[in-house]
Amino acid sequence: IIDGISVADPGNINIFPNESFKASVLEIPDDNALYTVRDVPHGKIHYNTYKSDVLGQHRNLIVYTPAEYEANPDKSYPVFYLVSGTTDTEEVWFKVGRANTLLDNLIASGEAEPMIVVMPYGYMNNGTPRPSSPEAAKMYQVFVKELTQSIMPYVESNYRTINNRDSRAIAGFSRGGGQSMFTAFSCPDKFGWLESYSAYLTPEVIDAYFPNIVNDANSLNSLWMCVGTSDFLYNDVVRNKRYFDDKAIKYQAEERGGSHTWMHARYCLANSLRRLFRK
């Protein structure tokens, strides 16, 4: 803290890539942790720039391809869209969530299927309303258009993807979780897997936008929610679960100790990776 202003440690190259703060990242070494780089085949992280006709600008996009991708030019892969949270950039799932390292280790141990992971920037250029507000749904609608009209066509044109609903999954943390739920329910023909980390939709939004929610949600291969019991969004997630219960919507949910942290988000992601695209 310099003259009352918090700054990142200039001697630490590991910086949290966030819109509103640039904190230093400190990892406690743990050779047994899934987020630790191991002596296994490693996938690649690709930095992409695509043109968004929805937002009228060029945007950044990070894509992970598994270690076997280049050695199998005739093979196509399922795609997991992994969305950033409030104030997070497209780099956070990579640099803080360690999505690539988690997947490298899980694929190597046979616990996850080889897949492509697409990490978009979730900010839609018009503020981030509270997830309990009606304005949040308007932002989610823009994200649906951005994903389906700009991001997915780019990804499917530049990577070897399997382009059907059973081979597409979507998940996110915090704002990204709300965007993911809204997207999957808006596009039941495009996504077969939905995972939500510390996020929810209000009953009012679901009733207003998804008249066929029961059939659409129950057609998913998996609908999984996870939240920490100390999370400031915990009560909202519980209310969302009760709504699903009242509507007889099938889902799986996990409540665990923890709050709105990236330790929790990593836990959620690792569990998703073990489950996605498995019969």
Side-chain angles (χ1 to χ4, degrees), residues 202-259:
T202 65
E204 294 78 13
V205 164
I206 298 175
D207 287 341
Y209 289 89
F210 305 114
N212 299 316
I213 184 64
V214 176
N215 290 335
D216 292 341
N218 285 337
S219 72
L220 292 165
N221 297 314
S222 174
L223 196 176
W224 184 69
M225 307 169 71
C226 186
V227 66
T229 53
S230 300
D231 196 307
F232 70 94
L233 297 179
Y234 172 76
N235 290 332
D236 295 296
V237 175
V238 169
R239 183 171 66 148
N240 194 161
K241 289 164 53 183
R242 288 174 181 158
Y243 178 93
F244 286 167
D245 291 335
D246 291 342
K247 294 286 187 178
I249 291 173
K250 295 178 293 185
Y251 68 95
Q252 292 176 297
E254 181 175 350
E255 297 179 11
R256 58 189 297 270
S259 56

Side-chain angles (χ1 to χ4, degrees), residues 169-171 177 180-181 184-185 192-196 220 222-224 276:
I170 188 167
S180 297
M181 295 179 78
F185 296 150
W193 309 79
L194 168 61
E195 316 276 299
S196 174
L220 292 165
S222 174
L223 196 176
W224 184 69
L276 294 178

Side-chain angles (χ1 to χ4, degrees), residues 113-178:
E113 297 295 321
M115 67 184 77
I116 294 170
V117 182
V118 178
M119 293 165 268
Y121 182 32
Y123 183 61
M124 293 294 102
N125 293 351
N126 195 26
T128 301
R130 288 284 302 168
S132 57
S133 69
E135 291 75 20
K138 301 296 184 182
M139 181 267 290
Y140 296 156
Q141 282 185 304
V142 177
F143 178 79
V144 173
K145 291 182 180 179
E146 174 68 3
L147 184 69
T148 59
Q149 298 177 23
S150 298
I151 296 173
M152 288 173 58
Y154 175 86
V155 170
E156 293 172 3
S157 296
N158 289 277
Y159 295 90
R160 299 194 308 275
T161 59
I162 304 174
N163 302 326
N164 60 57
R165 75 183 298 270
D166 289 335
S167 298
R168 292 195 195 98
I170 188 167
F173 175 51
S174 194
R175 177 188 66 195

Side-chain angles (χ1 to χ4, degrees), residues 263-277:
M263 288 78 78
H264 171 73
R266 286 179 185 170
Y267 172 88
C268 296
L269 176 58
N271 275 271
S272 292
L273 295 174
R274 290 185 177 99
R275 190 171 46 253
L276 294 178
F277 310 124

